[in-house]
Amino acid sequence: MPAIPSSLLEPVWVQFDALLPARPEFDPTHPLGCHRRRVPDRVVFAHVVDALVHGSGYERIATEACSDRTIRRRLRAWAEVGLGEQLHALALAAYDRMIGLDLADVSVDGAITKAPCGGERAGRSPVDRGKGGMKRSTGTDGDGIPLGLIGTSANRHDSPLLRGTLEASSRQLHHRWPEQVTAHLDRAYDNGPSRDLLAELGFDADIARKGIPAPVQVGKRWVVERTNSWMNGFGKIRRCTDRSASIIDFYLYLAAAFVTVRQLIRRARALYRWDTRLTTRRLK
């Protein structure tokens, strides 16, 4: 059984393949001219997706067609040039063109997950007895489509991450903010620096007040909680064992790209017709 339905995996792979540089099947610089055939990128990408979904170690998902060392080398090369961010930006552009991003309302929130192997994005988790943990701060549009993400250690407060999250969202959107934007935030952002930042950016602030009960269903910030749940459905995000910051960021944006394309396909079913259009809401 595939880790990702083919109707979702193939569109993502087509866009990812378009970002890859052309590489010869054999290494022309080999002194004997008899280097082993290069493992196709499509095969390696399928293994990387397996690692993303299941959260397994590379030794466990390696096969005769692709070794764990090949997965690590190719993954490092892809992460260093920012292919994850580029893929997510393409997914956002396609969603905006076909469905339309709701940028009049944005939500930002943090989520803490496990990072048992430590690394550049790990720290003591305040909600897991001080074990290794990672925090990601996610910005979404009014429908919960992930716009920008940043990863950091679990012991960081949400409020200082607000600027970085909004800047990451701007990069992914190429600074296409409407004239009036309302930021919906929970009470962790109820402080002077957060309000000053939103005023600096020209955003209206809808922030839950400290000491006043405010269920997440009240207002429009519940969508970011749902997006965090979607992201936690990927095993590599829920329990990250990688130590390199660039690889962690690659996985974060790859997961965000899958979330965006999944929502694009589901919402496009009612608006468009195409040859391979799904007949049910469930992706197969």
Side-chain angles (χ1 to χ4, degrees), residues 12-31:
V12 174
W13 160 248
V14 170
Q15 294 298 319
F16 189 81
D17 185 39
L19 297 173
L20 294 174
R23 295 290 298 273
E25 186 178 6
F26 294 94
D27 186 0
T29 63
H30 194 274

Side-chain angles (χ1 to χ4, degrees), residues 226-247:
R226 182 182 62 178
T227 302
N228 283 334
S229 177
W230 287 339
M231 296 285 289
N232 286 342
F234 296 94
K236 184 64 74 172
I237 306 301
R238 189 171 58 249
R239 185 178 183 275
C240 184
T241 55
D242 285 280
R243 298 174 59 87
S244 170
S246 61
I247 291 179

Side-chain angles (χ1 to χ4, degrees), residues 64-124:
E64 294 182 356
C66 183
S67 68
D68 61 293
R69 292 186 178 182
T70 299
I71 298 173
R72 295 177 190 275
R73 279 197 304 269
R74 207 73 58 89
L75 181 61
R76 189 181 305 112
W78 292 345
E80 288 176 352
V81 296
L83 290 187
E85 292 89 336
Q86 297 176 43
L87 176 65
H88 176 244
L90 289 176
L92 281 179
Y95 185 96
D96 191 29
R97 184 168 58 253
M98 299 180 66
I99 307 298
L101 291 167
D102 181 10
L103 299 179
D105 296 290
V106 298
S107 300
V108 179
D109 197 16
I112 296 177
T113 54
K114 295 180 179 293
C117 297
E120 299 175 5
R121 291 283 190 262
R124 289 175 58 86

Side-chain angles (χ1 to χ4, degrees), residues 2-4 9 43-63 66-68 71-72 75 78 231-242 247 250-252 254-255 258:
I4 293 287
L9 178 62
V43 175
V44 182
F45 184 75
H47 286 71
V48 170
V49 171
D50 287 343
L52 171 67
V53 174
H54 301 303
S56 305
Y58 302 117
E59 295 82 359
R60 291 182 176 272
I61 64 173
T63 62
C66 183
S67 68
D68 61 293
I71 298 173
R72 295 177 190 275
L75 181 61
W78 292 345
M231 296 285 289
N232 286 342
F234 296 94
K236 184 64 74 172
I237 306 301
R238 189 171 58 249
R239 185 178 183 275
C240 184
T241 55
D242 285 280
I247 291 179
F250 175 86
Y251 275 123
L252 287 175
L254 180 60
F258 276 115

